[in-house]
């Protein structure tokens, strides 16, 4: 009992000051009980009774008085919001299960090393500590029940394997820290905190907000060669040998190492589909350097059937190659191809990062060239991106306006604040999906006046810096942040924001967010869907106008998504969408470098009841109600009456 | 006022007559034996014949036995003077249901009807208020009821002096009913009863109390009791002992009144104001011998 009381804390201890009103209530009660005036026929007999002068009278309050005082005290206690904190130390274990954790060492990969470190750490910890286990990929989620023992957590951890997906370690860590549920977060990862020495492998703990974060960094530098991207593109530059192939398979290859090497690259055809045998189409050796990506180009024979499944493999083996999951990629010839996008900017060099995005057929044009284009020629572009420029009227295509110029008519600039800080954003908007907005710290931002058909999505102090809307059947967005060039993993938050824009503006038709294992495809509209997976299995889904269907890609390969039946007249196209899912994760594949993660700014932890604590106010409120009920019952119980009879 | 005087009650009352312990002279012929010898039905005594006596009254049997002439004397029946002394002080108005004074008035009217039916004369004296004229004949009951209806109990009275004043209005003694709650010191009661006896009245005491006076019955454990007549205030915190003590005190007070009545041969009847009127006059009073 004493232990229970000593574990009690209060959210609003100021409520106890209200107890000063109790003496006043007692006084009022005393006065009330004494002064009922009653006229009687005669005090002759009453006078003879033993009288009780007010001063000498003993205060004998009835039971109802004590019940009322007790109810009042319970109410005061409930207002003070007591809670009991579980004394046992509660640790959240966050295991990095991203692709990079599969990087192999001589005898074991990073994830196996992480599991060993976890075992040692848990065994060295206090025996009565409790844990909750989380993984970071394919999605951040809890594994097993809350508050489990060390034996249980080790059992669960032994059954987990690293995934083929990337993770957002920053967001996972911030989410854990913000709950306030844990005294400690144990992070086991091959990534290091941004201000930490990348090769430091010892335990570091920091307490930015009261929760201790212990980081166990595992894994040594290991070289790796990987495929960063693969696409079919038009052959706009025939080779000097006179190859007149109309299409090329363009393969981007990255090297995470200190020195360049020659990498054999082979292109295969799968005449009987992805599950059938493969036939080599072409092979070449590419000199790959550590800085940037090197591209292998494979002219595609004209006689290739329309619906052809192709695959690319790197012939590097396991020597000096930490991961083999990123050494293969899938291509589909009959795909409608990458989404045609036109970038209109006076700075064509800004297109560099966008060109590397899969499923994107990017063309660039200067503002002057854009003005010369005929409207009919623009209709083939699924999306127009205007950087630093703006037409005078809204185009008849979905459009993204990045840093439009002062004086533009479409999204007038209201102000350009110095040291802008993002203060609020719409959490339910597709633009902010998967986005850790607090990590966006722009050096420059434009604040817009919002058109009547649009809404602000992301705001700094003076106003919105991201505006989106839909009018005349097309979607438009304006962003006052510099999102180009697309830097991918080097600026992950800005990259996710740009990809969100591309996805929302094109209605996810061909541009999917991260077609990597672990990512999901959202199917919208009132329709039934069938998805043919790489292993030949079929999945059926149903989406409605109010609720989209979601499908998660688990393995690399070619997925065919077909809309079987539209329920409304304006259903989407009935042709199958071909989605290639590949392990194109340059950041995860760069196992020779150490990725970093950020810890978000400290949260205000005042008046936050740790969720491991048990609030007591519901029980106290129930006690108050029961006491008041008892008091009311006693009011109606008649006072005892004299039974003596006059002789 | 006479709501409870049903035909059945009237018929019941007509069967009775007021009983007295001794004979009283009346003002006219009635149905009660008087001390006077004269014409009547009941033989009273013999007396020697004197010249002028009605020879029809000579008892020839006595002459045959004694050779002397005697005349038979009869008890003369005369009317009875009935006086009702009703306490109209403030205590008779409490509790506020008004039942106590109502019962006192109606009880007196019912007994008065018995007297009026017998040819007796009835007078009502509301102590602290008024003395009615004498009523005779059963038809006078309504007039008597109307007179009593105007009486409202209030204020404080000197009980003994009021009794004395009421008695002074009576020329001849008779039967007296003293009706009150008698919630005053026993000495005043003794003085009043003795005063009435001194005037040669055959007095009977009708002691009316309400149920809340008989048993101290209140939901207030603590209250300020205020006397309805004197305004005297007493603070009380009642508990089980207090209620027990009240019952004992009341019983003692009533016992003292009864004891004095027993000493002086006065009938004392304790009545609850909730008792039905018919039951009191048709059952209880005859059982006690006040009506026959």
């Amino acid at each position: 009992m004493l232990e229970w009381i000593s574990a009690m804390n209060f959210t609003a201890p100021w409520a106890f000051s209200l107890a000063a009103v109790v003496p006043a209530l007692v006084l009022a009660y005393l006065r009330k009980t004494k002064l009922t005036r009653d006229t009687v026929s005669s005090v002759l007999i009453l006078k003879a009774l033993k009288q009780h002068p007010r001063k000498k009278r003993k205060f004998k309050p009835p039971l109802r008085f004590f019940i009322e005082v007790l109810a009042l005290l319970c109410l005061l206690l409930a207002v003070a919001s007591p809670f009991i904190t579980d004394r046992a130390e509660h640790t959240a274990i966050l295991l990095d299960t991203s692709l990079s954790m599969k990087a192999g060492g001589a005898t074991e990969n990073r994830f196996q090393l992480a599991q060993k470190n976890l075992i040692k750490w848990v065994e060295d910890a206090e025996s009565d500590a409790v844990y909750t286990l989380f993984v970071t990929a394919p999605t951040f989620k809890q594994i097993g029940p809350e508050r489990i023992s060390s034996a249980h957590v080790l059992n669960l951890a032994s059954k987990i394997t690293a995934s083929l997906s990337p993770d957002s370690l920053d967001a996972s860590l911030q989410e854990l820290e913000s709950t306030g549920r844990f005294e400690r977060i144990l992070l086991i990862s091959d990534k290091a905190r941004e201000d930490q020495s990348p090769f430091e492998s010892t335990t570091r703990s920091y307490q930015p907000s009261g929760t201790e974060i212990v980081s166990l960094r595992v894994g040594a530098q290991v070289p790796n060669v990987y495929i960063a991207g693969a696409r079919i593109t038009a052959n706009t530059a025939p080779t000097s040998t006179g190859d007149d192939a109309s299409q090329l398979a363009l393969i981007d290859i990255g090297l995470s190492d200190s020195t360049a090497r020659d990498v054999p690259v082979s292109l295969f055809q799968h005449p009987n589909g992805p599950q059938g045998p493969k036939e080599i189409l072409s092979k070449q050796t590419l000199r790959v350097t550590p800085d940037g990506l090197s591209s292998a180009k494979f002219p595609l024979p004209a006689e290739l059937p329309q619906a052809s499944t192709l695959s690319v493999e790197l012939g590097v083996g396991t020597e000096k190659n930490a991961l083999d999951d990123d050494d293969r990629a899938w291509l589909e010839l009959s795909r409608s191809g990458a989404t045609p996008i036109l970038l209109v900017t006076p700075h064509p060099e800004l297109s560099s990062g966008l060109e590397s995005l899969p499923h994107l057929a990017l063309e660039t044009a200067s503002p002057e060239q854009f003005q010369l284009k005929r409207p009919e020629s623009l209709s083939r572009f699924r999306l127009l991106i205007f950087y630093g420029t703006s037409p005078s009227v809204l185009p008849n295509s979905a459009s993204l306006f990045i840093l439009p110029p002062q004086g533009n008519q479409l999204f007038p600039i209201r102000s350009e604040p110095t040291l802008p800080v993002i203060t609020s954003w719409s959490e339910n908007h597709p633009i902010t999906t998967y986005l850790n907005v607090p990590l966006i710290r722009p050096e420059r931002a434009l604040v817009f006046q919002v058109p009547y058909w649009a809404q602000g999505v992301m705001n700094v102090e003076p106003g919105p810096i991201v505006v989106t809307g839909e009018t005349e059947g097309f979607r438009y967005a304006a962003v006052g942040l510099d999102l180009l060039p697309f830097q991918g993993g080097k600026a992950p938050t800005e990259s996710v924001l740009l990809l969100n824009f591309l996805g929302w503006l094109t209605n996810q038709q061909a541009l999917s967010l991260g077609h990597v294992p672990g990512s999901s495809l959202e199917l919208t509209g009132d329709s039934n869907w069938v998805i043919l997976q790489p292993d030949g299995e079929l999945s059926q889904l149903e989406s409605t106008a109010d609720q989209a269907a979601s499908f998660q890609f688990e393995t690399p390969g070619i997925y065919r998504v077909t809309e079987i039946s539209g329920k409304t007249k304006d259903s989407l196209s009935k042709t199958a969408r071909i989605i290639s899912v590949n392990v194109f994760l340059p950041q995860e594949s760069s196992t020779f470098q150490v990725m970093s993660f950020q810890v978000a700014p400290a949260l205000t932890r005042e008046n936050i009841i740790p969720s491991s604590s048990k609030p007591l106010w519901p029980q106290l409120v129930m006690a108050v109600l029961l006491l008041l009920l008892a008091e009311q019952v006693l009011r109606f119980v008649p006072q005892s009456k004299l039974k003596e009879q006059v002789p | 006022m006479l709501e409870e005087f049903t035909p059945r009650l009237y018929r019941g009352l007509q069967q009775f007559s007021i009983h007295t312990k001794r004979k009283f002279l009346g003002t006219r012929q009635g149905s009660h034996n008087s001390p006077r010898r004269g014409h009547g039905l009941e033989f009273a005594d013999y007396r020697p014949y004197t010249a002028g006596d009605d020879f029809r009254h000579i008892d020839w049997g006595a002459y045959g036995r004694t050779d002397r002439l005697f005349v038979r004397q009869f008890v003369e029946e005369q009317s009875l003077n009935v006086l009702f002394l009703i306490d109209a002080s403030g205590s008779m108005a409490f509790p506020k249901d008004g039942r106590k004074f109502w019962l006192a008035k109606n009880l007196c009217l019912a007994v008065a009807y018995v007297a009026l039916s017998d040819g007796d004369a009835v007078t009502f004296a509301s102590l602290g208020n008024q003395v009615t004229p004498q009523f005779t004949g059963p038809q006078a009951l309504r007039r008597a009821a109307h007179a009593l209806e105007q009486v409202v109990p209030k204020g404080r009275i000197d009980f003994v002096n009021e009794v004395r004043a009421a008695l002074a209005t009576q020329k001849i003694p008779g039967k007296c009913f003293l009706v009150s709650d008698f919630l005053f010191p026993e000495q005043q009661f003794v003085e009043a009863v003795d005063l009435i006896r001194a005037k040669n009245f055959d007095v009977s005491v009708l002691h009316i109390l309400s149920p809340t006076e008989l048993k101290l019955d209140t939901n207030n454990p603590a209250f300020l009791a205020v006397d309805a007549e004197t305004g005297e205030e007493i603070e009380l915190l009642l508990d089980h002992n207090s209620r027990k003590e009240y019952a004992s005190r009341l019983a003692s007070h009533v016992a003292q009144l009864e004891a004095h009545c027993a000493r002086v041969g006065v009938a004392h009847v304790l009545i609850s104001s909730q008792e039905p009127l018919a039951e009191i006059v048709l059952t209880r009073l005859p059982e006690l011998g006040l009506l026959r």
Side-chain angles (χ1 to χ4, degrees):
Chain A
M1 180 70 175
L2 286 175
E3 199 177 305
W4 185 79
I5 293 173
S6 65
M8 191 182 294
N9 289 293
F10 299 93
T11 305
W14 54 263
F16 288 111
S17 61
L18 297 176
V21 78
V22 172
L25 286 176
V26 172
L27 280 172
Y29 199 97
L30 284 174
R31 288 183 65 81
K32 175 188 151 190
T33 56
K34 293 192 169 106
L35 294 176
T36 303
R37 197 180 174 86
D38 204 3
T39 302
V40 297
S41 52
S42 174
V43 298
L44 175 72
I45 308 297
L46 296 174
K47 232 173 12 177
L49 297 180
K50 195 175 180 183
Q51 294 191 29
H52 300 269
R54 194 176 298 192
K55 289 180 185 175
K56 295 183 187 175
R57 188 173 309 159
K58 291 182 196 173
F59 173 56
K60 289 187 185 177
L63 182 61
R64 279 176 35 218
F65 171 75
F66 292 110
I67 291 176
E68 288 170 6
V69 171
L70 192 59
L72 182 61
L73 291 175
C74 285
L75 194 60
L76 286 176
L77 206 57
V79 172
S81 296
F83 60 92
I84 295 181
T85 307
D86 200 319
R87 304 305 290 268
E89 201 170 63
H90 188 188
T91 300
I93 297 175
L94 183 59
L95 269 181
D96 187 342
T97 48
S98 62
L99 174 67
S100 62
M101 294 294 284
K102 296 187 76 173
T107 53
E108 58 193 354
N109 62 30
R110 289 174 176 179
F111 190 74
Q112 290 165 332
L113 199 58
Q115 287 172 316
K116 277 188 177 175
N117 276 266
L118 174 61
I119 293 170
K120 184 175 185 312
W121 197 91
V122 168
E123 285 175 351
D124 289 343
E126 289 183 13
S127 58
D128 63 342
V130 292
Y131 304 92
T132 305
L133 182 62
F134 297 86
V135 296
T136 62
T139 55
F140 168 67
K141 68 177 181 181
Q142 179 176 325
I143 304 295
E146 182 91 6
R147 306 178 69 82
I148 54 179
S149 66
S150 54
H152 195 174
V153 77
L154 293 179
N155 181 39
L156 286 175
S158 66
K159 298 174 185 172
I160 300 173
T161 56
S163 68
L164 299 177
S165 308
D167 63 9
S168 176
L169 195 56
D170 317 53
S172 307
L173 200 56
Q174 185 183 20
E175 185 166 337
L176 279 183
E177 198 182 4
S178 65
T179 62
R181 287 155 53 193
F182 310 103
E183 283 78 43
R184 181 185 295 117
I185 299 173
L186 172 63
L187 168 63
I188 306 179
S189 171
D190 57 353
K191 302 175 183 64
R193 188 164 181 261
E194 59 181 351
D195 61 349
Q196 185 180 0
S197 168
F199 303 110
E200 186 176 345
S201 60
T202 56
T203 306
R204 281 290 300 274
S205 67
Y206 13 79
Q207 295 171 295
S209 62
T211 299
E212 184 186 7
I213 301 177
V214 177
S215 168
L216 291 182
R217 209 197 73 74
V218 296
Q221 293 173 270
V222 282
N224 186 41
V225 62
Y226 56 92
I227 299 177
R231 58 194 179 278
I232 308 293
T233 184
N235 185 9
T236 56
T239 63
S240 57
T241 58
D243 185 353
D244 59 354
S246 61
Q247 289 180 307
L248 295 174
L250 200 63
I251 315 299
D252 298 320
I253 299 172
L255 175 64
S256 182
D257 202 346
S258 55
T259 57
R261 70 169 88 159
D262 294 324
V263 176
V265 185
S266 302
L267 179 66
F268 299 93
Q269 176 193 5
H270 298 259
N272 298 322
Q275 295 82 25
K278 58 187 180 185
E279 298 171 0
I280 187 163
L281 281 178
S282 180
K283 183 177 180 179
Q284 58 180 272
T285 300
L286 186 68
R287 183 72 179 169
V288 183
T289 57
D291 49 342
L293 299 174
S294 305
S295 296
K297 296 177 184 175
F298 291 90
L300 297 177
E303 62 273 15
L304 266 183
Q306 268 299 61
S308 291
T309 300
L310 306 175
S311 67
V312 179
E313 288 183 19
L314 304 180
V316 288
T318 57
E319 187 181 345
K320 295 177 76 175
N321 186 32
L323 296 167
D324 52 12
D325 298 283
D326 52 7
D327 298 338
R328 192 179 191 189
W330 295 88
L331 298 162
E332 183 73 24
L333 188 62
S334 69
R335 279 194 316 115
S336 54
T339 304
I341 291 180
L342 178 66
L343 172 63
V344 182
T345 176
H347 312 288
E349 67 277 8
L350 293 176
S351 65
S352 60
L354 279 177
E355 287 171 338
S356 65
L357 286 176
H359 319 297
L360 204 62
L362 183 68
E363 294 182 25
T364 57
S366 67
E368 296 74 24
Q369 290 171 329
F370 175 77
Q371 283 184 356
L372 294 175
K373 284 186 183 292
R374 290 157 60 179
E376 307 83 65
S377 67
L378 294 174
S379 62
R380 67 184 179 88
F381 292 104
R382 192 65 185 84
L383 174 68
L384 305 177
I385 300 176
F386 297 89
Y387 182 96
T389 182
S390 170
S392 55
V393 296
L394 286 172
N396 290 329
S397 283
S399 302
L400 173 64
F401 299 85
I402 302 176
L403 295 174
Q406 286 283 353
N408 80 86
Q409 304 294 318
L410 301 180
F411 296 94
I413 310 294
R414 211 168 99 185
S415 65
E416 187 174 342
T418 53
L419 300 176
V421 175
I422 295 174
T423 55
S424 64
W425 60 93
S426 299
E427 293 191 8
N428 296 327
H429 199 288
I431 299 297
T432 57
T433 309
Y434 305 114
L435 194 62
N436 195 346
V437 177
L439 294 179
I440 301 177
R441 295 162 193 169
E443 294 177 357
R444 180 195 178 198
L446 299 179
V447 176
F448 299 108
Q449 292 180 21
V450 182
Y452 70 91
W453 47 267
Q455 61 175 352
V457 176
M458 203 177 290
N459 307 299
V460 295
E461 186 59 38
I465 58 172
V466 172
V467 174
T468 65
E470 196 163 339
T471 183
E472 303 292 334
F474 295 102
R475 289 179 174 176
Y476 303 97
V479 53
L481 303 172
D482 196 350
L483 297 182
L484 292 180
F486 180 76
Q487 299 182 66
K490 293 181 182 176
T493 310
E494 287 78 3
S495 300
V496 169
L497 179 58
L498 180 59
L499 291 173
N500 284 351
F501 274 118
L502 299 182
W504 180 71
L505 288 165
T506 61
N507 202 22
Q508 310 286 348
Q509 281 290 309
L511 184 67
S512 297
L513 281 174
H515 286 148
V516 296
S519 64
S520 297
L521 176 68
E522 265 208 0
L523 301 167
T524 58
D526 217 2
S527 298
N528 293 318
W529 307 85
V530 169
I531 300 175
L532 176 62
Q533 301 179 49
D535 57 2
E537 279 207 25
L538 288 173
S539 294
Q540 295 190 3
L541 298 169
E542 182 181 345
S543 63
T544 63
D546 299 323
Q547 189 166 3
S550 180
F551 179 81
Q552 186 176 42
F553 301 112
E554 293 185 2
T555 57
I558 300 293
Y559 291 78
R560 294 176 189 276
V561 180
T562 308
E563 187 181 4
I564 294 299
S565 59
K567 299 175 191 171
T568 59
K569 288 183 181 177
D570 55 352
S571 296
L572 301 173
S573 165
K574 303 282 191 300
T575 59
R577 283 169 60 181
I578 308 299
I579 297 177
S580 304
V581 178
N582 291 298
V583 184
F584 292 158
L585 300 169
Q587 205 167 7
E588 295 288 335
S589 297
S590 301
T591 54
F592 200 73
Q593 287 80 33
V594 175
M595 285 187 289
S596 64
F597 66 91
Q598 296 176 348
V599 177
L603 299 170
T604 301
R605 295 294 297 275
E606 290 176 13
N607 299 328
I608 294 177
I609 301 175
S611 57
S612 64
S613 302
K614 302 165 195 168
L616 297 176
W617 68 265
Q619 291 87 337
L620 288 167
V621 169
M622 184 58 65
V624 169
L625 293 174
L626 288 174
L627 286 168
L628 290 177
L629 181 64
E631 194 260 351
Q632 287 299 315
V633 169
L634 283 176
R635 277 180 191 271
F636 290 103
V637 171
Q639 299 281 333
S640 60
K641 298 179 183 177
L642 289 176
K643 300 289 182 188
E644 289 83 359
Q645 296 177 353
V646 176
Chain B
M1 186 70 191
L2 297 175
E3 299 83 18
E4 289 203 14
F5 281 71
T6 61
R8 188 168 174 227
L9 178 63
Y10 281 123
R11 282 198 295 276
L13 293 172
Q14 286 164 1
Q15 297 173 21
F16 295 103
S17 63
I18 294 179
H19 171 72
T20 58
K21 290 179 181 172
R22 60 180 194 276
K23 301 180 177 65
F24 292 93
L25 285 175
T27 55
R28 52 195 178 91
Q29 194 170 12
S31 57
H32 296 274
N33 291 340
S34 70
R36 187 171 293 168
R37 299 287 183 264
H39 301 286
L41 296 177
E42 187 177 331
F43 172 76
D45 198 0
Y46 290 107
R47 73 170 171 80
Y49 173 87
T50 55
D53 288 335
D54 191 344
F55 62 88
R56 287 175 295 177
H57 291 155
I58 294 173
D59 188 333
W60 296 109
Y63 176 73
R65 290 192 298 274
T66 61
D67 280 338
R68 289 165 67 180
L69 291 171
F70 289 95
V71 176
R72 282 193 292 272
Q73 286 184 311
F74 296 91
V75 175
E76 191 159 314
E77 292 179 341
Q78 292 187 318
S79 66
L80 181 64
N81 182 29
V82 181
L83 175 64
F84 293 94
L85 299 175
I86 308 172
D87 184 355
S89 65
S91 66
M92 293 297 286
F94 285 86
K96 288 189 179 172
D97 61 359
R99 175 81 182 174
K100 196 160 70 173
F101 191 69
W102 178 91
L103 183 63
K105 287 190 293 187
N106 280 274
L107 194 54
C108 292
L109 285 171
V111 175
Y113 182 75
V114 173
L116 292 170
S117 300
D118 264 355
D120 298 331
V122 168
T123 307
F124 297 91
S126 302
L127 302 177
N129 201 285
Q130 62 176 0
V131 180
T132 66
Q134 202 175 60
F135 298 104
T136 55
Q139 300 82 358
L141 185 67
R142 288 205 177 276
R143 282 184 283 121
H146 180 72
L148 286 180
E149 198 168 14
Q150 314 306 316
V151 179
V152 176
K154 61 180 178 184
R156 186 183 183 185
I157 62 172
D158 185 336
F159 193 82
V160 174
N161 281 337
E162 289 292 330
V163 168
R164 182 179 292 117
L167 289 171
T169 64
Q170 302 299 298
K171 293 188 175 62
I172 54 174
K175 178 70 180 179
C176 177
F177 291 93
L178 181 59
V179 186
S180 173
D181 55 13
F182 300 111
L183 291 175
F184 44 77
E186 296 87 356
Q187 187 56 38
Q188 292 183 25
F189 172 80
V190 168
E191 284 185 36
V193 169
D194 289 348
L195 200 61
I196 301 170
R197 288 179 58 247
K199 288 286 186 178
N200 280 331
F201 277 87
D202 179 2
V203 58
S204 293
V205 172
L206 303 181
H207 190 170
I208 302 177
L209 289 174
S210 69
T212 55
E213 290 164 338
L214 288 168
K215 303 174 189 178
L216 184 58
D217 189 0
T218 174
N219 284 331
N220 293 326
F223 64 100
L224 187 69
V226 181
D227 191 298
E229 289 185 20
T230 65
E232 187 179 354
E233 295 180 350
I234 296 180
E235 286 183 13
L236 288 172
L237 180 64
L238 300 179
D239 54 18
H240 177 68
N241 289 333
S242 299
R243 292 188 168 98
K244 230 177 165 182
E245 192 181 350
Y246 175 88
S248 170
R249 295 277 181 183
L250 179 66
S252 169
H253 173 70
V254 172
Q256 284 183 343
L257 302 186
E258 285 180 337
H260 179 69
C261 290
R263 267 197 306 275
V264 298
V266 170
H268 176 273
V269 184
L270 182 61
I271 301 167
S272 167
S273 63
Q274 294 300 322
E275 286 185 59
L277 174 66
E279 189 176 318
I280 299 171
V281 294
L282 298 180
T283 306
R284 290 195 67 194
L285 296 186
E287 283 176 354
L288 292 167
L290 299 182
L291 298 177
R292 284 193 183 169

